[in-house]
Amino acid sequence: MKLKKSVAISENGFVFNASRGDSFSTNPTGTRILDWLREGKTDTEMKTLLLEKYEIDEATCEKDLYDFIKMLNQQNLIEA
């Protein structure tokens, strides 16, 4: 899965979907996940990176990551 090319992300977490005109803000972790999606990282790679960076258990990390990806999908920001 990858972030759609029509999605712009600012350094401070402002996200704009040019194809729909929608925008929202995300926290630094969300911004980093969006960057990883743009780079083509897999779910497993992103989970590993999050576990290395934050003191979080694997189950919580996985749930939060998949919830965020689900929200991105609902907002039509990612493609398979």
Side-chain angles (χ1 to χ4, degrees):
M1 111 187 68
K2 286 191 79 133
L3 196 63
K4 290 189 173 184
K5 293 183 191 293
S6 62
V7 177
I9 311 162
S10 73
E11 290 179 13
N12 60 351
F14 181 78
V15 181
F16 178 69
N17 182 354
S19 67
R20 292 177 55 173
D22 297 335
S23 62
F24 64 94
S25 295
T26 186
N27 64 23
T29 304
T31 301
R32 191 66 193 126
I33 292 169
L34 291 167
D35 288 338
W36 291 334
L37 286 168
R38 179 162 280 143
E39 295 168 9
K41 298 238 185 288
T42 66
D43 296 358
T44 303
E45 290 171 319
M46 290 187 286
K47 185 172 84 171
T48 299
L49 291 166
L50 289 167
L51 288 169
E52 289 172 358
K53 183 168 176 71
Y54 300 102
E55 292 183 24
I56 186 172
D57 65 272
E58 189 170 346
T60 301
C61 179
E62 191 169 289
K63 180 190 178 309
D64 290 350
L65 176 61
Y66 291 136
D67 285 350
F68 187 71
I69 290 171
K70 181 180 177 182
M71 184 273 308
L72 295 174
N73 192 42
Q74 290 170 341
Q75 295 296 321
N76 200 31
L77 299 174
I78 54 177
E79 56 193 6

